[in-house]
Amino acid sequence: MKDELNQNLVFLKLGGSLITDKLRPRTERRPVIRRLAQEIQSALQACPDMKLLIGHGSGSFGHVEAQRYQTRQGVRTEDDWLGFSHVVHSAATLHRTIIGAFLLENLPVVGIQPFSTARCSNGQIVDMDWEFVSNVFDNGLIPVVYGDASFDEEIGGTIISTEEIFSFLAQKLLPRSILIAGISDGVIGVDDQPLERITPKDLSHLREIVKGSSAVDVTGGMASKVDLMLKLTGSHPKMTVRIFSGERIGNVKRILSEPEFVSGTLLSS
């Protein structure tokens, strides 16, 4: 099938490690969130035709609760469902902080709660209201999604990551690129240096070349995220994914507004 990407559409994820202190439960990094909002605003002013979908991780909010109750593995007992409720609340609490900070910078953001719009089966997204997301774009707004809990028709409930949401929506909306901003200078290899490029041929030995995160991540860590994004680029060879540092001041603005700017690790076919 011919890949007809939307050249004006970009997905941007702000990683949980970037916007929260993942070693301190329920602790956001408000100055960083404000700076990122300002960089995004500047990039949109420089590129007025760009359409942007923003996603963010749950960091020390949802991940901590999800690990405590093992929500990713399924929700069955009364205690599991109590934990499920805590995950939904924690993820939404951080999301409201992000939306509030972005609105203060005059970004026309609209929060979209995955819990209310996604449907899962055995831990995988099988449906999400992507047409609603498209309608948000059509009205000149910026949709913001995030990692969240979701009902699951096989295991009761589960956790869906921002990358999993991006992967599903990308199949429908076909962005030209997906940008994932964290605190590291790309995907860190086992030699503690960022990898310049990773391709689908590296999938078979991915966990041998990618170093994982030391912080809590119930959705599988960096290797799982890279695996998911490589499978996406394998299905859409013209689509690229870049994982880079949003900790470096100006990086988010430049990577959004300057196509020639190279930073971090490129994932491509």
Side-chain angles (χ1 to χ4, degrees):
M1 183 179 69
K2 187 177 180 181
D3 232 351
E4 295 182 358
L5 303 183
N6 185 336
Q7 294 300 320
N8 291 327
L9 179 59
V10 175
F11 288 7
L12 170 67
K13 181 197 174 183
L14 306 176
S17 61
L18 179 62
I19 59 176
T20 75
D21 183 341
K22 292 191 77 171
L23 300 180
R24 297 173 61 196
R26 298 175 68 85
T27 304
E28 66 269 37
R29 303 176 73 200
R30 287 181 181 264
V32 173
I33 294 168
R34 182 181 180 187
R35 171 179 61 80
L36 293 169
Q38 292 170 344
E39 290 191 29
I40 292 168
Q41 178 66 277
S42 295
L44 288 171
Q45 289 174 351
C47 304
D49 292 333
M50 180 168 55
K51 291 184 177 181
L52 189 62
L53 182 146
I54 298 174
H56 65 81
S58 285
S60 64
F61 284 73
H63 280 290
V64 172
E65 300 287 358
Q67 184 190 48
R68 176 183 175 188
Y69 291 96
Q70 295 295 296
T71 309
R72 177 82 164 183
Q73 283 69 47
V75 182
R76 299 172 182 85
T77 68
E78 184 176 341
D79 194 53
D80 289 345
W81 284 113
L82 175 62
F84 185 92
S85 298
H86 278 294
V87 173
V88 171
H89 173 67
S90 293
T93 298
L94 176 61
H95 184 63
R96 285 191 293 271
T97 297
I98 301 293
I99 294 296
F102 282 21
L103 288 172
L104 285 175
E105 299 302 326
N106 295 317
L107 286 167
V109 290
V110 174
I112 297 175
Q113 185 182 37
F115 166 70
S116 301
T117 56
R119 183 168 58 86
C120 294
S121 179
N122 203 27
Q124 304 293 318
I125 300 174
V126 294
D127 194 21
M128 189 170 183
D129 194 350
W130 64 272
E131 291 178 320
F132 176 77
V133 176
S134 183
N135 191 42
V136 173
F137 288 130
D138 293 342
N139 286 282
L141 302 170
I142 301 171
V144 183
V145 298
Y146 58 100
D148 201 2
S150 173
F151 288 127
D152 189 298
E153 60 191 25
E154 293 293 330
I155 58 175
T158 191
I159 300 293
I160 48 177
S161 71
T162 311
E163 284 83 6
E164 288 168 329
I165 294 167
F166 273 14
S167 179
F168 181 86
L169 292 177
Q171 303 276 3
K172 305 294 185 180
L173 301 173
L174 297 176
R176 64 176 168 83
S177 65
I178 296 176
L179 307 173
I180 300 176
I183 56 174
S184 300
D185 289 318
V187 179
I188 304 302
V190 292
D191 61 353
D192 291 322
Q193 297 300 313
L195 301 169
E196 182 177 336
R197 185 180 179 191
I198 308 176
T199 68
K201 67 180 176 60
D202 298 312
L203 275 172
S204 61
H205 59 287
L206 196 59
R207 294 184 185 278
E208 299 172 17
I209 64 173
V210 174
K211 189 171 183 178
S213 170
S214 60
V216 173
D217 190 336
V218 299
T219 55
M222 181 56 74
S224 293
K225 300 179 195 303
V226 172
D227 178 273
L228 184 65
M229 292 294 102
L230 282 177
K231 288 174 180 174
L232 178 63
T233 60
S235 299
H236 302 281
K238 294 182 181 178
M239 190 182 298
T240 60
V241 178
R242 188 170 290 278
I243 299 175
F244 67 103
S245 172
E247 190 84 332
R248 293 184 179 274
I249 296 174
N251 255 13
V252 168
K253 176 187 175 182
R254 292 194 66 187
I255 206 163
L256 282 172
S257 59
E258 302 175 26
E260 71 281 1
F261 180 62
V262 175
S263 180
T265 303
L266 178 67
L267 276 57
S268 65
S269 297

